[in-house]
Amino acid sequence: DPSNSWEAQGPTHNPKIDPHPHSRSSVAHRTTGPNHRHQARHARSSTLHNVMSLPMEEYLHHGELAYAAHREMSSSDPRHNLVPATFCRAYCLDYNDQSRNERSDAIIQQRSSFGYPTSLFRVTSTSDGKLYCLRRIDSVRQASHKVIQHVMHQWLSGANGRDGQPQASAMISGFDHPGIVRWYKCFISQRALFFLSAYHAGAVTLRERFFAEGGGVPLPESMIWSCLVQLVSAVKAVHANNLAVRTLQLNHILTQESASSASGAFSSYGLPKLRLRINCIGVIDILEYESRKPLDELQRADMRALGCILLSLATGQEITVNDLYNANQTQQQQGQVLLEYFQYVQQNYSRELFVLLNSLLNPSAAPPSAQNVALSMASRVFEELDSAHESVDAMNMTLTGIFESGRALRLVLKLAFVNERPEFGIDKNWSESGDCYILKLFRDYVFHQCDENGNPVMDVGHVIASLNKLDAADEEKIVLTSRDGENVLVVSFADVAWCLEKSYQELISRSVPVPTFP
């Protein structure tokens, strides 16, 4: 029964505060419990409310993310040869994992939207042990070390999107903005071009999220505004640094779900449920370096692409810039193509959204800048800010529970190290005498409660409350009794805490260094 597990129950009070002040005298002189034979004080009702663990849906969600972050390919998989030796524990992230032929060991690379054979891996760096996303692009002939250094200097030297402070080392640098997947570096190896960026477990593209198998449904307006605020913030930061995104496409925008959105529930504003990041920055700048266009033209193209994303989310159809602005069509013909879409948006969404969409996609006028778009949707930003604060508050509450779990785990580990240790050097009875004997009796008091008939009492509330008082070194007195009933000790939680720390430090001083492996 999950309701009786360790993760389903926990303390709701400060261990220093007596939950029943009217029934006891001062904390310094009270005594609780005759011994480890518990008096069955309504064990089920005495269990405490859950603050020591994640809610079940969050627990399962983060468990799935942890599983995704630790998957590995078979050691015999030939795709390991595609990854440079400076990385290990590679796992192929290509869509549907079709980069290997099932009938042979041949490697089949997919052709990406950039026009080159591409492979995507989650890897672990051998230099810092962190997870990264590694994109390999083959058959690139135009790229050179000079081009790579120039583009990396544009994106990574002092351009962090918010406060303009330059970054430090190469592995921790990058365009720092919450709406951008951080790009760390680009390099040439194995006659291929590699892009190293941040890894976000469980992330899928906006196309996979809402337009699977070529179809989709129109999104609620609140969610569209949430997505738009996040994207405009990122684009504005990029343009402010005299750069262009150039990858504002549904297949280059990553989304991450929270546990609630995974179950199909959405909040009123959408931020805690859907998190957007623009991916693959700098890739096109390197691949198309020789045919680069003026910055103003590229930034205008970003705003057109932003309008196409907005239109796709509103209509449930994947719409690209090429679909709307065919070079063989006149402005009038392009306007006719847009008219049907505009009518649909005008009928189903607010005038504010329609006016913004019309300004971004109107073929007879240049699109507004990212700064002007941000100013026009200022009221929506406050809604997103409120949602962000709600999300932060929820995370802080969760972190409080995780902190409580960590405190309890440290105490349990120390008790496990000390209690009934077979031997300690030449002392065969170290764990059965002195301070260690008190800890053994305390272990029985905490974990081995039973009623008057000898039946086990699984009172998790008693366990957690005792561990909290032990961690706080409470002066409350308790009675510890040996299993045969011949030895009875009256001690405080502070006495037990002192014995535990003294015994544990004695073990540490005599312990053998743990071997480490490269």
Side-chain angles (χ1 to χ4, degrees), residues 499-516:
C499 293
L500 177 60
E501 188 62 26
K502 179 175 178 293
S503 301
Y504 183 72
Q505 291 300 327
E506 189 175 353
L507 278 178
I508 291 293
S509 65
R510 298 282 299 275
S511 63
V512 178
V514 178
T516 58

Side-chain angles (χ1 to χ4, degrees), residues 123-191:
V123 297
T124 300
S125 172
T126 56
S127 61
D128 60 13
K130 296 181 180 179
L131 295 178
Y132 295 96
C133 185
L134 184 67
R135 183 182 299 273
R136 176 188 174 121
I137 302 180
D138 287 276
S139 304
V140 180
R141 298 181 179 179
Q142 296 87 353
S144 64
H145 291 286
K146 183 178 180 180
V147 170
I148 292 173
Q149 292 300 321
H150 178 73
V151 175
M152 286 180 60
H153 178 76
Q154 288 181 315
W155 279 98
L156 308 183
S157 295
N160 71 352
R162 289 182 290 184
D163 55 13
Q165 295 298 323
Q167 302 290 337
S169 64
M171 290 302 287
I172 63 173
S173 64
F175 192 91
D176 182 18
H177 188 276
I180 301 288
V181 176
R182 179 171 289 193
W183 173 39
Y184 292 100
K185 65 178 180 178
C186 176
F187 60 94
I188 297 175
S189 179
Q190 301 178 348
R191 298 183 179 180

Side-chain angles (χ1 to χ4, degrees), residues 67-179:
Y67 171 75
H70 289 86
R71 287 182 295 181
E72 295 184 42
M73 298 184 298
S74 169
S75 58
S76 60
D77 196 311
R79 290 175 293 187
H80 282 292
N81 297 326
L82 299 178
V83 179
T86 53
F87 301 96
C88 61
R89 296 183 60 244
Y91 182 78
C92 186
L93 298 175
D94 287 332
Y95 186 60
N96 287 336
D97 199 19
Q98 295 177 344
S99 59
R100 181 182 177 187
N101 193 331
E102 296 294 339
R103 298 184 179 181
S104 68
D105 288 336
I107 299 174
I108 304 176
Q109 288 184 291
Q110 299 181 0
R111 186 168 293 274
S112 70
S113 59
F114 302 117
Y116 296 91
T118 303
S119 297
L120 189 63
F121 298 93
R122 185 222 67 217
V123 297
T124 300
S125 172
T126 56
S127 61
D128 60 13
K130 296 181 180 179
L131 295 178
Y132 295 96
C133 185
L134 184 67
R135 183 182 299 273
R136 176 188 174 121
I137 302 180
D138 287 276
S139 304
V140 180
R141 298 181 179 179
Q142 296 87 353
S144 64
H145 291 286
K146 183 178 180 180
V147 170
I148 292 173
Q149 292 300 321
H150 178 73
V151 175
M152 286 180 60
H153 178 76
Q154 288 181 315
W155 279 98
L156 308 183
S157 295
N160 71 352
R162 289 182 290 184
D163 55 13
Q165 295 298 323
Q167 302 290 337
S169 64
M171 290 302 287
I172 63 173
S173 64
F175 192 91
D176 182 18
H177 188 276

Side-chain angles (χ1 to χ4, degrees), residues 17-42:
I17 299 175
D18 187 354
H20 304 289
H22 61 279
S23 62
R24 296 189 179 104
S25 58
S26 66
V27 173
H29 295 91
R30 69 177 185 265
T31 302
T32 61
N35 53 31
H36 68 277
R37 293 187 177 276
H38 186 46
Q39 296 299 317
R41 300 166 300 169
H42 304 287

